[in-house]
């Protein structure tokens, strides 16, 4: 089965000034997006989504990863993923293509990451907000790299489409000063290596 790809887009954002002062090292945020036809649109309830997941996940993951790395190269520090399914699909359709390792591991392996990919999945009409949460690819507790890419595509998703996206950062959010998560855990009497106490 072939992916019906309508468009791919790359968003590049550099922040030079934030909070009334210049950013010494401008933060680079990159989003790579693919607008595809929902492979389950019009099929009613489909119990087994795995054939399409396995067919489309690796190809989409590689394509979006390549788009990200064309901009960041090996400087990438933070990463995440997101999807929006059009109003004619199920939220599960968006989740099926983003939460599978067939998709996400293309990105994770390419950047030699140690953490999971932060994510959002929503359903919406054309122009719906796409929010891609980011965190450090090697340290899930590194607060300086908790960031969000917020964008939209004016004419997508159509009711029979899904927007799939990967996001990345070079640098942390500007003027990071919210403290160190590990210091907080120690101060609160928790083990920084086992914050849930399990």
């Amino acid at each position: 089965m072939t992916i019906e790809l309508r468009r791919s887009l790359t968003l590049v954002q550099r922040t030079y000034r934030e909070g009334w002062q210049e950013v010494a090292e401008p933060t680079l945020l990159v989003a790579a997006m693919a607008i595809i036809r929902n492979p389950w649109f019009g099929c009613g309830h489909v119990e087994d989504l795995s054939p399409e997941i396995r067919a489309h996940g690796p190809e989409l993951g590689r394509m979006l990863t390549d788009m990200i790395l064309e901009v960041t190269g090996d400087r990438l520090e933070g990463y995440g993923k997101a999807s929006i399914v059009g109003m004619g699909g199920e939220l599960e359709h968006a989740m099926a293509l983003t939460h599978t390792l067939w998709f996400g591991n293309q990105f994770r392996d390419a950047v030699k990451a140690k953490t999971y990919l932060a994510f959002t999945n929503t359903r919406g009409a054309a122009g719906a907000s796409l929010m891609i949460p980011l965190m450090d690819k090697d340290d899930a507790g590194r607060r300086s790299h908790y960031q969000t890419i917020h964008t939209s595509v004016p004419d997508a998703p159509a009711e029979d489409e899904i927007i799939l996206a990967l996001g990345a950062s070079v640098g942390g959010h500007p003027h990071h000063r919210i403290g160190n998560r590990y210091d907080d855990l120690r101060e609160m009497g928790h083990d920084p290596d086992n914050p849930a106490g399990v």
Side-chain angles (χ1 to χ4, degrees):
M1 58 193 80
T2 304
I3 299 169
E4 293 185 46
L5 175 67
R6 177 158 76 90
R7 185 186 303 148
S8 63
L9 305 91
T10 305
L11 169 72
V12 178
Q13 172 184 308
R14 290 181 176 86
T15 300
Y16 298 94
R17 189 172 186 83
E18 177 70 24
W20 304 281
Q21 59 182 315
E22 290 184 10
V23 179
E25 291 290 332
T27 297
L28 172 65
L29 299 179
V30 184
M33 296 164 274
I35 303 167
I36 66 165
R37 186 176 191 279
N38 181 345
W40 302 286
F41 178 78
C43 297
H45 179 82
V46 177
E47 187 62 32
D48 183 6
L49 306 179
S50 61
E52 292 81 7
I53 290 170
R54 285 181 168 83
H56 301 328
E59 186 175 345
L60 289 163
R62 282 191 296 269
M63 180 185 81
L64 294 173
T65 297
D66 288 347
M67 291 167 62
I68 292 279
L69 295 179
E70 281 179 18
V71 180
T72 67
D74 62 3
R75 299 175 300 144
L76 185 148
E77 297 173 21
Y79 74 160
K81 61 185 177 180
S83 59
I84 307 174
V85 65
M87 296 303 293
E90 295 179 53
L91 187 56
E92 189 77 356
H93 298 162
M95 295 172 70
L97 290 174
T98 50
H99 287 295
T100 173
L101 297 179
W102 297 96
F103 173 76
N105 273 14
Q106 307 300 319
F107 195 17
R108 189 179 296 107
D109 292 347
V111 300
K112 299 177 175 58
K114 299 173 185 170
T115 61
Y116 66 90
L117 278 157
F119 63 89
T120 61
N121 309 110
T122 56
R123 180 168 55 195
S129 288
L130 177 69
M131 301 189 80
I132 311 172
L134 307 177
M135 66 182 196
D136 189 283
K137 71 180 183 72
D138 296 320
D139 182 351
R142 190 178 178 198
R143 284 184 181 150
S144 61
H145 283 58
Y146 293 170
Q147 302 184 77
T148 304
I149 298 172
H150 188 182
T151 189
S152 64
V153 181
D155 67 343
E159 68 167 357
D160 65 342
E161 292 179 330
I162 299 173
I163 301 176
L164 295 170
L166 293 178
S169 67
V170 177
H173 60 257
H175 311 312
H176 163 64
R177 55 193 190 277
I178 58 174
N180 181 305
R181 182 175 188 270
Y182 303 107
D183 289 344
D184 287 355
L185 287 166
R186 280 187 282 271
E187 189 175 334
M188 296 169 72
H190 298 288
D191 180 356
D193 295 321
N194 183 19
V198 294

